[in-house]
Amino acid sequence: MKSILLIGLGRFGKHIAVQLGQLGHQVMAVDHNEDRVNDVLNDVTSAQIGDSTNADFLESLGIRNFDVCIVAIGNDFQSSLETTSLLKELGASLVVSRAERDVQAKFLLRNGADEVVYPEKQIAKWAAIRYSADHILDYIELDEKNAIFEVSVPEAWSGKSIGQLDIRKKHNINILAVKTGGKINATITSDTILSEENTILVLGEFKALQKCFRI
């Protein structure tokens, strides 16, 4: 369990608040809009109405006591930038800020953000990959080069073992798990037989995955 400060309770921030609450973390939520704060009262540990660009207000929250500070402000980049900078100045150990464009990310990283997230860009990429091919069921980007895909077992692989296919050597990817009927089996060996009823979780460089599964 972590102690998390969440600043900005628009649509993105509210979703984060709900998810963090369900995961059992201690969350303090902050927004200047009273209605937004009231909307998340049942999902977070505590909430306050306030201006996150005000150094005195931020300092009163005890910034050093939080494991993570998330700046989820979406429609006011100046406020997001000022908040990010103030959090770092006040001793925040980890600041994660929201960006909509690359230029925003550069400014945020230069002014205190330890990490930057692109919710719109990331979901757009996920949706483009997920729905542009019938055999791609899910996709997780690990970094700029590597990803995990959930894919249908290719017809040519059905009935063969992982050892027979020698997938790692031939395609430079790794099978992490086999999924059947919604249940994941991560205890796989070279003797594991693949079936068209399965989907598989595969890890590798994006280019290798694209080539292997014709993405």
Side-chain angles (χ1 to χ4, degrees):
M1 181 177 68
K2 289 190 174 183
S3 177
I4 299 172
L5 174 63
L6 173 61
I7 299 176
L9 297 171
R11 285 175 295 178
F12 177 58
K14 183 177 179 180
H15 283 305
I16 293 178
V18 171
Q19 293 298 319
L20 289 172
Q22 290 177 352
L23 290 169
H25 296 292
Q26 291 185 333
V27 181
M28 174 180 282
V30 173
D31 198 285
H32 63 83
N33 185 297
E34 183 178 358
D35 291 335
R36 290 179 178 177
V37 171
N38 289 333
D39 281 344
V40 301
L41 285 176
N42 294 328
D43 302 301
V44 299
T45 310
S46 60
Q48 287 203 34
I49 304 166
D51 178 6
S52 62
T53 65
N54 183 300
D56 291 333
F57 170 71
L58 277 187
E59 189 170 16
S60 72
L61 301 178
I63 299 303
R64 294 179 183 272
N65 296 323
F66 294 99
D67 298 307
V68 185
C69 296
I70 300 175
V71 182
I73 300 170
N75 297 321
D76 186 346
F77 180 66
Q78 183 63 34
S79 291
S80 177
L81 189 63
E82 289 181 26
T83 300
T84 298
S85 180
L86 283 172
L87 285 170
K88 211 60 184 179
E89 288 178 13
L90 292 170
S93 58
L94 177 61
V95 179
V96 180
S97 300
R98 173 186 180 175
E100 295 180 354
R101 298 187 299 276
D102 289 341
V103 66
Q104 291 183 351
K106 290 178 181 178
F107 277 110
L108 289 166
L109 290 168
R110 289 174 183 170
N111 288 273
D114 297 292
E115 296 184 24
V116 171
V117 293
Y118 294 81
E120 291 87 356
K121 182 178 179 180
Q122 288 164 343
I123 194 63
K125 187 173 183 179
W126 178 89
I129 292 172
R130 166 65 179 87
Y131 295 108
S132 62
D134 294 335
H135 61 293
I136 305 298
L137 302 178
D138 205 352
Y139 159 72
I140 302 172
E141 185 176 279
L142 300 179
D143 57 29
E144 293 181 356
K145 291 185 177 181
N146 300 284
I148 297 174
F149 280 83
E150 180 183 350
V151 299
S152 302
V153 172
E155 185 178 348
W157 293 9
S158 182
K160 297 179 180 178
S161 70
I162 292 176
Q164 285 177 301
L165 293 167
D166 201 9
I167 295 165
R168 183 182 298 177
K169 184 176 180 180
K170 291 180 180 178
H171 302 286
N172 199 30
I173 62 175
N174 294 288
I175 295 181
L176 301 178
V178 176
K179 191 173 179 180
T180 307
K183 295 183 179 180
I184 293 177
N185 176 19
T187 310
I188 57 175
T189 69
S190 60
D191 296 324
T192 300
I193 304 295
L194 300 180
S195 164
E196 288 186 51
E197 297 178 356
N198 305 139
T199 60
I200 49 178
L201 300 179
V202 290
L203 165 67
E205 288 193 359
F206 189 76
K207 290 182 178 179
L209 293 164
Q210 277 186 305
K211 182 177 180 181
C212 181
F213 298 105
R214 298 183 177 88
I215 299 168

